[in-house]
């Protein structure tokens, strides 16, 4: 026998019935997002490598260590997208969306690829449901985007999704803060771990993300952004908070939240979920006022979020999960040697009428065992006598009652009992 092949490390096969839950979550996202005026965008999975280097930033883990990058047959460097914001922005520029009166509201659902160490909740191919709002400086659009995110999670049955919120200020505020942080940390360089020593030189703000207890202690005395925040940044953040409060959206300020990608300005946020273990971030996002310009478009202040769909499914409330169960089929069964073609025709006519129907086979015993496995309530027994009279027998497998009906009345009988 040939050896069986295995899937690539860090990827997953998703099978029924779990895929039905994934589809239902995605349908709900489409329904909620369209109420807020969002339309779906589908961008290529393969992009020029430079797109991510220029947007996410060379110094980030994603670009530095995690991208699936390779040369195509003509030697051009291409990358499997590690996230979707950069692609959405590229498409919005290339297709001429930005520059037209906005805002442009786009959502996406699809796979992303990062070469990370696989563990629970962390995969090399994972899936995101995300939204981007291009062409509005906020802060009211920040409020609206978060309201939409929370509405979606509530509709999935999460009772009190809580937004962890921070501001990184505008670019000058952020630059001044980043410099001050580096100045503060440099004397402690020897006490920092290898990652943080590296970040100290290229991206000091990322050190705030650290999980190492002794580094966190050191950071307690570090300068905070508050000292460097411009008036405009302060106003933006205050407006956002006032909006969230008015709409009753729960949030907590998290001064150390900086997020892993370079392009954020002003608002950054995350939603964490219990039950996910170490990889507890369910969703992340923020404002990226300069990204469209950095990628060659006109000034277009924008923001967005991405929900990790794999993790979302891991903690999906049971109430939503159980609402997804599909109706068991009606089993069409022969008796006494009914020709298969007759059975096939009856199954197909039931399906054409919109019923879930399955061919149960030509003997009653095997068919009833199958009906049990599938959880069927009804079997349609089609013996030669019945068929000769233009009839079938509908058997309720739970109450064991049965009655003969005309074939023409079969659908109505199944629907009305
Ligand atoms: P990011 O694009 O890094 O802001 O991530 C947004 C969300 O995507 C995170 O909050 C996670 O839920 C999810 N995510 C990111 N990386 C992975 C991964 N390797 N495996 C599974 N989910 C991920």
């Amino acid at each position: 026998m040939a050896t069986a092949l295995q899937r690539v490390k860090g990827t997953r096969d998703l099978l029924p019935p779990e895929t039905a839950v994934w589809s239902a979550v995605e349908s709900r996202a489409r329904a909620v997002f369209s109420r807020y005026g969002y339309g779906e965008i589908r961008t290529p999975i393969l992009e020029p490598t430079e797109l991510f280097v220029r947007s996410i930033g060379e110094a980030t883990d994603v670009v530095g260590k995690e991208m699936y990058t390779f040369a195509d047959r003509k030697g051009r460097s291409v990358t499997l997208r590690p996230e979707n914001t950069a692609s959405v922005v590229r498409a919005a520029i290339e297709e001429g969306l930005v520059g037209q009166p906005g805002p442009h509201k786009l959502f996406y659902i699809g796979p992303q690829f990062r070469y990370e160490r696989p563990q629970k909740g962390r995969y090399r191919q994972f899936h995101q449901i995300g939204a981007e709002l291009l062409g509005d400086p906020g802060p009211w659009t920040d409020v609206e985007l978060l309201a939409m995110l929370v509405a979606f999670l509530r509709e999935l049955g999460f009772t009190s999704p809580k937004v962890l919120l921070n501001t990184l200020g505008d670019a000058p505020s952020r630059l001044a803060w980043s410099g001050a942080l580096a100045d503060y940390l440099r004397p402690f360089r020897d006490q920092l771990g290898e990652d943080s020593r590296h970040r100290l030189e290229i991206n000091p703000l990322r050190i705030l993300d650290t999980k190492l207890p002794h580094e966190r202690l050191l950071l307690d005395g570090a300068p905070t952004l508050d000292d460097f925040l411009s008036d405009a940044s302060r106003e933006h953040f205050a407006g956002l908070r006032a909006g969230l409060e008015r709409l009753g959206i729960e949030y907590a300020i998290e001064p150390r939240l900086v997020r892993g990608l370079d392009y954020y300005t002003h608002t950054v946020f995350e939603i964490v979920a219990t039950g996910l273990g170490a990889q507890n971030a369910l969703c992340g996002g923020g404002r990226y006022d300069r990204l469209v310009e950095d990628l060659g478009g006109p000034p277009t202040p924008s923001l967005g979020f991405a929900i990790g769909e794999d993790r979302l499914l891991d903690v999906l409330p049971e109430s939503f999960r159980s609402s997804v169960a599909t109706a068991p089929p009606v089993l069409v069964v022969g008796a006494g040697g009914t020709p298969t073609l007759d059975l096939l025709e009856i199954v197909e006519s039931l399906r054409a009428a919109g019923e879930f129907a399955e061919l149960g086979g030509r003997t009653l015993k095997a068919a009833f065992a199958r009906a049990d496995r599938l959880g069927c309530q009804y079997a349609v027994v089609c013996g030669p006598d019945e068929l000769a009279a233009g009839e079938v027998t509908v058997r309720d497998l739970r109450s064991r009652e049965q009655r003969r009906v005309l074939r023409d009345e079969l659908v109505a009988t199944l629907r009305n009992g």
Side-chain angles (χ1 to χ4, degrees), residues 125-159:
Q125 175 176 337
F126 60 100
H127 305 82
Q128 287 184 335
I129 299 176
E132 314 289 349
L133 188 150
L134 310 177
D136 189 280
W140 310 124
T141 39
D142 305 34
V143 178
E144 189 192 271
L145 184 89
L146 282 166
M148 178 171 90
L149 172 59
V150 167
F152 172 53
L153 293 175
R154 285 210 176 113
E155 291 207 12
L156 294 180
F158 292 93
T159 42

Side-chain angles (χ1 to χ4, degrees), residues 232-305:
S233 298
R234 236 176 259 285
E235 243 170 69
H236 188 279
F237 200 41
L240 165 57
R241 279 165 22 209
L244 293 178
E245 279 154 32
R246 174 62 74 91
L247 298 188
I249 295 169
E250 268 189 81
Y251 70 90
I253 306 278
E254 185 59 55
R256 284 193 179 157
L257 183 68
V258 289
R259 313 260 321 116
L261 316 178
D262 262 3
Y263 49 58
Y264 289 114
T265 49
H266 291 296
T267 314
V268 284
F269 55 87
E270 229 170 61
I271 291 186
V272 296
T274 47
L276 280 176
Q279 303 303 319
N280 68 349
L282 190 60
C283 168
R287 180 165 275 287
Y288 47 89
D289 284 347
R290 299 211 321 190
L291 181 60
V292 179
E293 270 172 279
D294 288 348
L295 290 177
T300 311
S302 304
L303 79 164
F305 65 74

